[in-house]
Amino acid sequence: MTDKKIVKNREPYQQAYYPPMPTRFVRYMRTSVVWQFVRFWIINYKIFKLLVKSAH
């Protein structure tokens, strides 16, 4: 005797099922080689700081 709740508002193709579309700026930042290069060095710098702290 299990009580199963039936969800009635699960219609297909509702707006809630689709992810938000990225803006033009977000698409640019994801594809920009210059920004990816900058992020690469920022992340490497953070990892380097972490390694230097752990070595002491």
Side-chain angles (χ1 to χ4, degrees):
M1 296 218 185
T2 54
D3 245 35
K4 293 185 179 180
K5 294 182 182 179
I6 299 173
V7 180
K8 295 180 182 180
N9 292 334
R10 304 250 355 200
E11 297 174 18
Y13 307 113
Q14 284 182 338
Q15 184 65 30
Y17 287 126
Y18 297 103
M21 292 295 293
T23 62
R24 185 183 298 180
F25 179 72
V26 171
R27 284 193 312 249
Y28 170 76
M29 295 303 271
R30 289 178 183 174
T31 59
S32 170
V33 176
V34 175
W35 177 245
Q36 295 299 322
F37 185 74
V38 169
R39 288 296 302 155
F40 172 78
W41 285 108
I42 290 171
I43 292 170
N44 280 341
Y45 176 70
K46 289 180 181 181
I47 293 172
F48 180 74
K49 281 192 335 184
L50 184 67
L51 289 173
V52 168
K53 284 183 183 179
S54 68
H56 288 120

